[in-house]
Amino acid sequence: MTFKVIVPEKIDTREVLDFLANVYGPTYDKAYRIFSSVFLGEPSFKPDNFILARETNGQLVGVMRIVEREIWVAGAKLTSGGISSVAVHPDWRRQGVCSAMMKRSVQEMSRRGMDISVLHGRKVLDGFYTRFGYRGIGRYIDLRFIDLTESPVLLKTEKYKPGHKKLCYRMYKKNYHSLPGSFNRSPAIWNWLLKRIESGVFPAVITIVKSGKIPAGYIVVKDQKLIEIAVPAKFYPAVISWFKHRNLESVSLHPGHPFFDYCRRHYSTIFQERRPLNGGYMMRAIKKNPRLEDICFHTSVLDEV
């Protein structure tokens, strides 16, 4: 049997979800639910963002998806095609299916005039995507505290509610758009991200920080890690006390984030990182762009789809 790589005119969503759930696992139902949350409502979910590989008899043997995003780099907003949902049927691995889909995805992104392509390679795949022109551009970072002391200032908080969407949108833009590699989250992307969290599919908790009775910013925690924070700097000491009181384990943020810098300067910390020379956060330039020569960035965990 041979296979053919195509960009479909329409998508049988159930077929693709079923394929991905069977390939990824570890349980079909859990994987199906997770991929459903990734696809449904995601702003760039459309047929021409899928790369499919099929046997000559039409059987699906490979899936890949292009996730359309905008990324801030050196003050410029670049168009990006994220590579996501990469899967090949076990019987078709090491037969060139993934390579053919990767090649077709780059052709599609080039045809559309995208600036860059990015992906988040799992550690087990270190060295795999370099063959397709991708290179490591960032770091996975955990900052752990030693003998953390509490501030006498208490942090006023409340649970996230749907009415806080505009606050999250505004504060993310204020805190993250100056950081190289941050995504430009439109209201539609925010709605999709928040829906995943609210449904429990993405196991994160959003806490709203208040100034008196007025919501002033937000904090996101996942797996005992602080993974995103967008609050005024005056709240940082109180955030540290809040962090300790909840027995959180580490901070995992963009290394250029001012809260990350605050923690390094004011507390004894252990800095753990994984430098992805051949994996992790990776990028390939689609267009020639001098801004991309020495790029190194770190995105938020929320944006890894």
Side-chain angles (χ1 to χ4, degrees):
M1 284 289 226
T2 59
F3 67 91
K4 183 178 181 180
V5 173
I6 63 169
V7 177
E9 293 184 358
K10 60 181 181 178
I11 283 290
D12 182 337
T13 304
R14 178 59 192 253
E15 178 194 33
V16 173
L17 288 173
D18 180 71
F19 180 83
L20 290 169
N22 277 306
V23 170
Y24 273 86
T27 63
Y28 176 89
D29 290 342
K30 182 177 180 180
Y32 193 96
R33 181 167 174 254
I34 290 173
F35 277 105
S36 294
S37 78
V38 170
F39 285 2
L40 305 180
E42 199 279 311
S44 66
F45 179 81
K46 54 187 179 182
D48 59 359
N49 277 334
F50 278 85
I51 309 295
L52 304 181
R54 294 189 181 277
E55 291 184 29
T56 51
N57 64 5
Q59 186 69 30
L60 189 63
V61 298
V63 170
M64 181 177 295
R65 190 167 69 99
I66 298 172
V67 181
E68 295 179 78
R69 291 289 189 269
E70 293 176 328
I71 297 180
W72 291 98
V73 176
K77 192 164 56 177
L78 304 182
T79 56
S80 167
I83 299 298
S84 179
S85 307
V86 181
V88 176
H89 191 285
D91 294 342
W92 281 84
R93 290 171 187 169
R94 297 181 178 83
Q95 297 187 52
V97 175
C98 188
S99 295
M101 291 194 297
M102 288 295 295
K103 182 178 180 180
R104 183 62 182 270
S105 71
V106 172
Q107 291 174 346
E108 285 298 309
M109 288 184 283
S110 178
R111 181 182 65 81
R112 299 185 204 177
M114 292 183 175
D115 295 299
I116 60 176
S117 175
V118 298
L119 59 85
H120 308 288
R122 292 173 294 154
K123 190 171 184 178
V124 70
L125 292 175
D126 273 4
F128 177 74
Y129 288 104
T130 55
R131 71 188 70 176
F132 307 114
Y134 289 79
R135 61 183 177 87
I137 52 172
R139 296 170 289 175
Y140 288 103
I141 295 173
D142 274 351
L143 192 67
R144 297 177 181 270
F145 295 91
I146 303 172
D147 298 326
L148 190 60
T149 57
E150 295 187 45
S151 165
V153 181
L154 297 178
L155 190 69
K156 295 181 180 180
T157 65
E158 66 180 14
K159 291 183 178 180
Y160 167 82
K161 300 175 184 177
H164 293 129
K165 285 182 181 180
K166 289 184 178 180
L167 169 73
C168 292
Y169 177 72
R170 183 177 73 253
M171 292 304 294
Y172 174 83
K173 183 177 181 180
K174 184 175 181 179
N175 284 262
Y176 278 84
H177 279 194
S178 62
L179 305 179
S182 66
F183 284 76
N184 183 45
R185 294 181 188 162
S186 66
I189 291 174
W190 261 114
N191 286 339
W192 171 71
L193 289 172
L194 294 171
K195 185 177 180 180
R196 295 190 73 213
I197 294 174
E198 291 165 8
S199 69
V201 173
F202 187 84
V205 175
I206 303 177
T207 297
I208 300 300
V209 174
K210 300 175 66 177
S211 177
K213 296 182 179 181
I214 302 174
Y218 71 90
I219 300 171
V220 184
V221 172
K222 179 180 182 290
D223 299 330
Q224 292 302 105
K225 294 182 181 181
L226 191 158
I227 62 170
E228 191 165 303
I229 179 170
V231 301
K234 67 180 181 180
F235 291 103
Y236 289 175
V239 170
I240 294 296
S241 293
W242 178 87
F243 183 98
K244 181 178 181 180
H245 181 69
R246 280 155 183 75
N247 296 314
L248 301 183
E249 296 176 353
S250 63
V251 172
S252 183
L253 292 174
H254 191 299
H257 195 292
F259 182 71
F260 187 90
D261 181 60
Y262 172 85
C263 294
R264 291 294 302 274
R265 287 188 292 109
H266 291 85
Y267 299 93
S268 296
T269 57
I270 298 175
F271 185 78
Q272 298 177 315
E273 66 177 340
R274 174 189 164 216
R275 287 188 174 274
L277 299 177
N278 298 308
Y281 296 111
M282 304 191 75
M283 182 202 76
R284 169 177 172 158
I286 303 298
K287 286 183 180 179
K288 290 185 178 181
N289 190 322
R291 292 188 179 92
L292 306 180
E293 291 297 324
D294 299 308
I295 184 175
C296 181
F297 63 66
H298 178 110
T299 65
S300 170
V301 174
L302 285 181
D303 295 300
E304 296 181 12
V305 294

